[in-house]
Amino acid sequence: MAIGDIIVGIDIGTSKVCTVLGEVNNFGQIETICSTSCKCNGLKKGKIINEDEVTLSIIKTIEEAEEQANFKINSAYTTIPGKYVTIVQNSVVKEVKDKYAGISARDVQSAMSQVKDIEVPDGKTIIDIVPDEIILDNGKIMADPVGSLSSTLTINAQIILAEKGYVRQLSGIFKKAGLEIDAIIPTTLAERNLVLDNNELHDNIMLLDIGAGTTDIGVFE
């Protein structure tokens, strides 16, 4: 994200659809510009039972957000309930192309490509890769290893899988609403980044999200 970027998020819940616009500030944080919501009866216990109802609710919140922010919305991030998500842990060790020149961005990209090379179960699709740790050959953990001197690069990551059927429904709904999907984010992972502080991120902790029709539980170790 770059300073000044406009980020749009859409949350499709059991009782309502919410749309939020935010702008990336000088500190890399997202400041809320506006927030809109609309009642929606298109879901039951987290399952989409009426795609047209969901589409109309999204369109209404988008139109209200565009009017408030005076900004045309073409795409958005959206959430996916935990019941449709599977998290797989994977790790790869990548040899650095030139250990004397330091780790390059291409080395990191190559390692990220390898870490997602897993056997995906039938009916599932990869929607995201979340790196947990990037470790140098001396055991040092780096958030951004580019430029560091190391002969190998180890990436421990979470591979986020989602049910193809639900993703297909989301894609169809967004297409009918005239929107592209920037990314699909598991609700519990989004809440982790929003709710937990740096100290809590290192504790064994559970997040409990009680919604109108479903309850999501996220356990973080």
Side-chain angles (χ1 to χ4, degrees):
M1 298 183 299
I3 296 173
D5 281 354
I6 303 297
I7 307 297
V8 183
I10 297 176
D11 180 55
I12 303 172
T14 303
S15 63
K16 63 182 178 179
V17 170
C18 298
T19 293
V20 178
L21 267 72
E23 182 175 2
V24 181
N25 63 21
N26 294 335
F27 303 100
Q29 300 170 329
I30 301 176
E31 294 183 359
T32 301
I33 297 174
C34 69
S35 175
T36 63
S37 65
C38 176
K39 289 184 179 180
C40 179
N41 298 315
L43 277 78
K44 185 176 182 180
K45 294 184 178 180
K47 182 178 181 180
I48 298 174
I49 58 173
N50 189 327
E51 294 185 9
D52 291 337
E53 176 78 16
V54 178
T55 301
L56 290 175
S57 296
I58 289 176
I59 290 173
K60 185 172 181 180
T61 62
I62 290 295
E63 288 176 345
E64 291 180 0
E66 288 179 335
E67 183 177 352
Q68 291 182 32
N70 193 26
F71 179 84
K72 175 63 178 174
I73 299 172
N74 298 309
S75 64
Y77 293 83
T78 190
T79 53
I80 183 170
K83 65 185 292 184
Y84 298 109
V85 173
T86 302
I87 299 178
V88 177
Q89 305 287 339
N90 196 25
S91 178
V92 297
V93 179
K94 170 72 175 175
E95 288 191 5
V96 175
K97 187 174 182 180
D98 186 351
K99 64 180 181 181
Y100 299 107
I103 298 172
S104 67
R106 180 171 293 184
D107 289 324
V108 177
Q109 292 169 0
S110 177
M112 290 293 289
S113 296
Q114 289 183 23
V115 81
K116 72 176 182 181
D117 187 16
I118 64 171
E119 185 176 344
V120 179
D122 291 340
K124 303 282 187 179
T125 184
I126 296 176
I127 61 170
D128 201 3
I129 303 171
V130 182
D132 284 329
E133 293 179 327
I134 301 177
I135 308 170
L136 306 185
D137 58 8
N138 61 4
K140 188 174 182 180
I141 299 174
M142 304 284 291
D144 182 6
V146 174
S148 300
L149 297 178
S150 180
S151 59
T152 61
L153 177 68
T154 301
I155 291 186
N156 298 323
Q158 299 177 54
I159 314 303
I160 314 299
L161 305 177
E163 289 192 13
K164 281 185 178 179
Y166 191 86
V167 172
R168 193 178 300 114
Q169 279 187 301
L170 283 180
S171 299
I173 288 169
F174 271 67
K175 185 175 182 180
K176 286 188 285 187
L179 299 170
E180 296 288 336
I181 296 179
D182 291 322
I184 300 174
I185 313 297
T187 303
T188 49
L189 292 184
E191 290 171 340
R192 177 190 66 177
N193 295 332
L194 178 67
V195 175
L196 302 183
D197 61 29
N198 288 332
N199 292 326
E200 291 171 329
L201 285 172
H202 298 288
D203 291 335
N204 295 331
I205 198 162
M206 181 183 76
L207 288 179
L208 182 65
D209 179 5
I210 303 174
T214 62
T215 296
D216 270 358
I217 295 175
V219 179
F220 303 97
E221 181 181 18

